[in-house]
C-alpha cells in the first residue's frame, strides 16, 4: 500500500466513514466534502491527494444506502448501474472540455468512488439548484461564490465545445445538460460530466432524432434526466437529437441568469411540465432584460419548440457574444499542453497583452496553474515568463509571497535556455520589488553570480543590467570583492570589437558601475573604474551617456578622487573629440558639453585660486627679503624673530641736519660722527623707530645758525638710547686734548629731565656757546668726533 501523504492529516475526516472500505483509499487520501453532482446530487465530491506523487485531486463518492432510503431495495442495483455507466463513459471519451478522470471507478459493498481533476464544485452547488429539496451543507466558499461576466461567458463556451465534441466526434447525445452535470474545476473551467443517460446519434444523419425514454414518475428520479431541463420533443414524442441538448443548454443559460432556477419548473410532474412549456415564450421574454445583449437573440433561437429551428453547437459557438479575446485566451490555456513549443511560444507572447482584460481572480485561479506546468519545460519557459512577469508586477507583495513564489522559486535555480535566462535577468527588477531581502540573497544573487560565469555575451550583458537593479540590496563588501571584479572582467573581455553585442555589454557594465559607485572606495575608483572609463568606446551614445553620468556624479564629491590634474590630462582630452561625433543627438551632445563646461569651470576655479595663493606667497617672500637686506646692511641682527615690522617714524635725516646747519660741506671733519652708527651693535633705539638712528651733526663752519648765539632753538633736541653720560665722559678723557668735565658742561648732561640723555648736538651747542671763533669750535668738534670714534674702535 502506498505511504500516506503528509497532507492527509489536513484532509482526513474524523470518525468512521463507508468510503474507508472502498479500494480507492489505497491510492488517495480523502478529505472533506466540498460539493455534490449528478442526478439528484447523489455524488459527493471530496478533496483528495494522490499518494504516489501527492498530486491534488477530487474523489466522487456514491453511498448506496442513499438509494435504499429514496427507493425500493430492488431498484438499488439499477441506480448503481446507471452511475457506474456514466463514469465509464467519462473514461472512454476524453476531451479538455469534459471532466478529466484520474482513476476509474472503484466499488465496495457500500460505495462507488472514482477520482478526477481537482474540483471546486458543481454549477448546481454555486447556483443553489435543488437546495430547497436537497440541502447540501457545503463550504461557504462554494455557496457564496459569485460569477464574473467573463466567467459565465467562458464557462458557456466551454460547455458548447464539449457538446460539439460529443455530437460530432463521439456521435452521442448527452440528454441531461443541466447544472448538476456541469463541474467547475479549481481553475474555474466548466467541464461537462453526467454522461449517465447518453444516447447514440442517428447513424444516417447525426442530427436526426432517435428514440429515447421520457421522464416518468414510475422510475426513480435519480435514474432519469432532470425534467426541468428536458427538451419538448423528448417529453412529447419520446425522441431526441443533438438539438435536444441545445434546448437544454438554453434552459441552463436561463438558470444562470435567473438565480439558478430554470424557466420550466415542473416539480417532477409531466403535466406541470406541459403547462410550463406553454408559457415558455412569455417567461423567456420577462427574463431577457437580465441576459447580455448579444446573447438575447441567440438564446431565443435555442428555445424554439421546433428542433430544426435551433442552432447546432458549432454555429452557436460563433455568435458575437463569444467573440472575446480574453475568453479565447482562457480557453486556449486549457488545451495548451497539447500544443508544440512553437504554438506555446506564440500564444504566451500574446497572452501578456490579453491579461489586462482578464480579471485578477482568474489570473490566480486559471492562468497561473497553466503557467506552472511550463516551469519545468526549458523550451517554453522563456515565452511563459512574459505573462508570468506581468502577473508578478501587478500583484501585491502578499499575493506574490502566497500564490506566486511557491511555484516560481524553482525557476531561479533550474537550468534555463539562454533566452529564458536573459528574460529573467532583464526583468529582475520586477521581482525584486516583491521579494524580501532574505529571498534575494538566497534565490536571486546565486543566479546572478552564475550568470557572470557564463560565456554567452547576452547572458553576461543581462547579468550586468540585472546587477544594477539589485545594487541597493548589496553590501559594500559584496560590491567591492565580488561585483566590481566580475564587472571589470566582463568589460575587459568586450573591448576589442565594435559589434552590437559588445557595445551592449560595455554599456550595461558602465550602468552597473554607475549604480554601485557610491559603495566603492577611492582606491577602487582610481585603480579600477577610471581605467574602465578610459577604455570605453565613447563614440557610441549607448556607452557615452553612462560615462557622462558617472563623471558628473564624481565631480560632485572630492572623495571620488577626480582631481584637477586628472581632469585636465586624462578625462577632458578623451571627451573633447566626442563632441564632434556625427552619431550624437542634440540631447546627448548637450549633456556632454555641459559636463565639459563643468569640468573646465572646476579646473579654472582651482587653478585661479592656486595662482592667487602663489602670488601672495611671492609678495610675502619679497617683503621678508627686503627686511633681511636692511638688517644685514644696518648691522641689526638682534631683532627678535617674532617682531613684526610696521610703519615707523624715522629719526631726523641727514638732509634735515644739513639744512638746519646752513648747508655745510659734507667733507667737513664733522662727518666722522656718521660712522658712529656702525660701531654701536648693542645700541638701543628709541621706542618709535627700529631703523638706524640719524645723528644730528653740527656744521663745521661758525657761520650761519651758530652765529646767532648760544640759543638752541633752531636744533631739535632728539632723545637717544644708545649713549649714556658715562660713555661720553670716558670719551672726553681719552681725547688727545683732555677736556675736563667741567669744561664740557658735564653737569648739564646730568641735570636733564629725569636723568635723560641728549645727543651730541646739544653738547655742541652748550660747549660752543662760550667760544667766539670758528677755529675753536672746529677744533672742539674734531676732538669730540675723534674721541667717540676711538672709543668704539677700541671696543
Amino acid at each position: 500500500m502506498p505511504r500516506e501523504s503528509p497532507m492527509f492529516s489536513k484532509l482526513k475526516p474524523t470518525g468512521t466513514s463507508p468510503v474507508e472500505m472502498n479500494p480507492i483509499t489505497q491510492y488517495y487520501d480523502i478529505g472533506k466534502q466540498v460539493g455534490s453532482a449528478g442526478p439528484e446530487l447523489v455524488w459527493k465530491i471530496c478533496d483528495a491527494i494522490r499518494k504516489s506523487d501527492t498530486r491534488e485531486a477530487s474523489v466522487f463518492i456514491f453511498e448506496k444506502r442513499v438509494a435504499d432510503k429514496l427507493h425500493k431495495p430492488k431498484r438499488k442495483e439499477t441506480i448503481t448501474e446507471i452511475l457506474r455507466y456514466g463514469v465509464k463513459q467519462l473514461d472512454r471519451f476524453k476531451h479538455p472540455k469534459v471532466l478529466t478522470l484520474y482513476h476509474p471507478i472503484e466499488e465496495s459493498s457500500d460505495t462507488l468512488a472514482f477520482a478526477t481533476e481537482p474540483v471546486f464544485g458543481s454549477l448546481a452547488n454555486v447556483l443553489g439548484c435543488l437546495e430547497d429539496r436537497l440541502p447540501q451543507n457545503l463550504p461557504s466558499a462554494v455557496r457564496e461564490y459569485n460569477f464574473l461576466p467573463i466567467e459565465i461567458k467562458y464557462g458557456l463556451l466551454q460547455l458548447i465545445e464539449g457538446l460539439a465534441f460529443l455530437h460530432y466526434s463521439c456521435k452521442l447525445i448527452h440528454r441531461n445538460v443541466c447544472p448538476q452535470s456541469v463541474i467547475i474545476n479549481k481553475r474555474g473551467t466548466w467541464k461537462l460530466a453526467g454522461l449517465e443517460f447518453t444516447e447514440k446519434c442517428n447513424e444516417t444523419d447525426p442530427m436526426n432524432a432517435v428514440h429515447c425514454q421520457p421522464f416518468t414518475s414510475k422510475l426513480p428520479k435519480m435514474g432519469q434526466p432532470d425534467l426541468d431541463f428536458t427538451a419538448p420533443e423528448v417529453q412529447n414524442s419520446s425522441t431526441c437529437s443533438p438539438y435536444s441538448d441545445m434546448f437544454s443548454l438554453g434552459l441552463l443559460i436561463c438558470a444562470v441568469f435567473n438565480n439558478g432556477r430554470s424557466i420550466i419548473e415542473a416539480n417532477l410532474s409531466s403535466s406541470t411540465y406541459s403547462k410550463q412549456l406553454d408559457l415558455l415564450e412569455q417567461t423567456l421574454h420577462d427574463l431577457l432584460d437580465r441576459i447580455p445583449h448579444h446573447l438575447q437573440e441567440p438564446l431565443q433561437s435555442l428555445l424554439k419548440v421546433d428542433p430544426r429551428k435551433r442552432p447546432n453547437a458549432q454555429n452557436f459557438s460563433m455568435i458575437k457574444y463569444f467573440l472575446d479575446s480574453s475568453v479565447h485566451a482562457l480557453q486556449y490555456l486549457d488545451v495548451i499542453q497539447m500544443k508544440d513549443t512553437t504554438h506555446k511560444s506564440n500564444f504566451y507572447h500574446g497572452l501578456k497583452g490579453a491579461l489586462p482584460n482578464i480579471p485578477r481572480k482568474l489570473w490566480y485561479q486559471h492562468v497561473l496553474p497553466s503557467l506552472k506546468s511550463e516551469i519545468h519545460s526549458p523550451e517554453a519557459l522563456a515565452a511563459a515568463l512574459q505573462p508570468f512577469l506581468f502577473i508578478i508586477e501587478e500583484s501585491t507583495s502578499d499575493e506574490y509571497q502566497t500564490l506566486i513564489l511557491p511555484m516560481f522559486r524553482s525557476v531561479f535555480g533550474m537550468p534555463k535556455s539562454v533566452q529564458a535566462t536573459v528574460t529573467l535577468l532583464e526583468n529582475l527588477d520586477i521581482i525584486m520589488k516583491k521579494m524580501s531581502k532574505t529571498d534575494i540573497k538566497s534565490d536571486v544573487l546565486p543566479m546572478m553570480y552564475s550568470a557572470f560565469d557564463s560565456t554567452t555575451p547576452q547572458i553576461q550583458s543581462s547579468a550586468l543590467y540585472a546587477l544594477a537593479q539589485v545594487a541597493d540590496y548589496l553590501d559594500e563588501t559584496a560590491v567591492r570583492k565580488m561585483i566590481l571584479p566580475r564587472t571589470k572582467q566582463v568589460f575587459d573581455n568586450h573591448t576589442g570589437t565594435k559589434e552590437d553585442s559588445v557595445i551592449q555589454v560595455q554599456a550595461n557594465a558602465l550602468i552597473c558601475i554607475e549604480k554601485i559607485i557610491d559603495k566603492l572606495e577611492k582606491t577602487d575608483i582610481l585603480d579600477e573604474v577610471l581605467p574602465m572609463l578610459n577604455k570605453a568606446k565613447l563614440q557610441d551614445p549607448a556607452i557615452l551617456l553612462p560615462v557622462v553620468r558617472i563623471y558628473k556624479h564624481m565631480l560632485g564629491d572630492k572623495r571620488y578622487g577626480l582631481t584637477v590634474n586628472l581632469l585636465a590630462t586624462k578625462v577632458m582630452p578623451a571627451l573633447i573629440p566626442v563632441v564632434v561625433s556625427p552619431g550624437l543627438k542634440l540631447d546627448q551632445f548637450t549633456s556632454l558639453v555641459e559636463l565639459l563646461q563643468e569640468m573646465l569651470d572646476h579646473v579654472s576655479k582651482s587653478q585661479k585660486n592656486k595662482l592667487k595663493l602663489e602670488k601672495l606667497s611671492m609678495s610675502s617672500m619679497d617683503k621678508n627679503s627686503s627686511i633681511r637686506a636692511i638688517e644685514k646692511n644696518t648691522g641689526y641682527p638682534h631683532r627678535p624673530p617674532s617682531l613684526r615690522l610696521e610703519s615707523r617714524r624715522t629719526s631726523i635725516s641727514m638732509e634735515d641736519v644739513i639744512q638746519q646747519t646752513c648747508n655745510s660741506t659734507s667733507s667737513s671733519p664733522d662727518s666722522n660722527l656718521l660712522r658712529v652708527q656702525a660701531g654701536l651693535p648693542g645700541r638701543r633705539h628709541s621706542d618709535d623707530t627700529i631703523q638706524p638712528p640719524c645723528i644730528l651733526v653740527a656744521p663745521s663752519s661758525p657761520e650761519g645758525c651758530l652765529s646767532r648765539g648760544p640759543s638752541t632753538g633752531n636744533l631739535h633736541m632728539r632723545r637717544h638710547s644708545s649713549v649714556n653720560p658715562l660713555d661720553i665722559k670716558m670719551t672726553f678723557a681719552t681725547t688727545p686734548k683732555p677736556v675736563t668735565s667741567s669744561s664740557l658742561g658735564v653737569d648739564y648732561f646730568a641735570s636733564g629731565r629725569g636723568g635723560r640723555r641728549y645727543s651730541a648736538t646739544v653738547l655742541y651747542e652748550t660747549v660752543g656757546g662760550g667760544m667766539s671763533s670758528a677755529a675753536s669750535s672746529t677744533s672742539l668738534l674734531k676732538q669730540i668726533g675723534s674721541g667717540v670714534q676711538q672709543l668704539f674702535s677700541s671696543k
Side-chain angles (χ1 to χ4, degrees), residues 3 51 60 74 86 92 103 115 154 180 243 313 353 361 377 392 475 525 530 543 556 558 620 636 665 718 740 744 774:
R3 184 170 54 88
K51 294 181 179 181
F60 285 63
K74 65 179 181 179
R92 180 181 177 187
H103 191 90
Y154 166 58
Q180 300 91 297
Y243 292 119
K361 182 176 74 172
S377 174
I392 292 174
D475 55 34
I525 295 174
L530 289 181
I543 295 178
K558 293 182 179 180
S620 177
Y636 290 94
T665 60
R718 298 288 292 176
T740 63
L744 293 175

Side-chain angles (χ1 to χ4, degrees), residues 401-418:
Q401 293 290 334
T402 305
L403 303 173
I404 301 176
L405 184 58
M407 68 174 68
F408 194 74
R409 176 173 275 124
S410 60
V411 174
F412 296 111
M414 65 178 291
K416 297 178 285 292
S417 64
V418 172

Side-chain angles (χ1 to χ4, degrees), residues 205-276:
D205 183 357
M207 304 308 292
N208 288 339
V210 295
H211 178 76
C212 66
Q213 174 66 46
F215 183 88
T216 175
S217 58
K218 296 179 181 180
L219 295 175
K221 52 182 176 294
M222 69 172 55
Q224 302 179 79
D226 192 337
L227 182 59
D228 290 350
F229 294 89
T230 300
E233 63 272 16
V234 174
Q235 198 64 22
N236 295 335
S237 59
S238 300
T239 60
C240 66
S241 69
Y243 292 119
S244 302
D245 287 343
M246 299 307 294
F247 186 92
S248 298
L249 177 65
L251 293 175
L252 183 145
I253 294 174
C254 291
V256 170
F257 293 99
N258 192 34
N259 299 320
R261 296 185 177 276
S262 172
I263 57 176
I264 296 179
E265 294 185 279
N267 294 322
L268 303 176
S269 170
S270 300
S271 59
T272 305
Y273 174 87
S274 300
K275 294 177 182 179
Q276 292 285 321

Side-chain angles (χ1 to χ4, degrees), residues 531-552:
M532 289 176 61
L533 299 180
N534 291 333
K535 295 178 184 178
K537 302 178 183 301
L538 299 177
Q539 302 298 328
D540 193 287
I543 295 178
L544 174 64
L545 293 181
V547 172
V548 168
R549 292 194 297 268
I550 292 173
Y551 278 134
K552 186 166 291 189

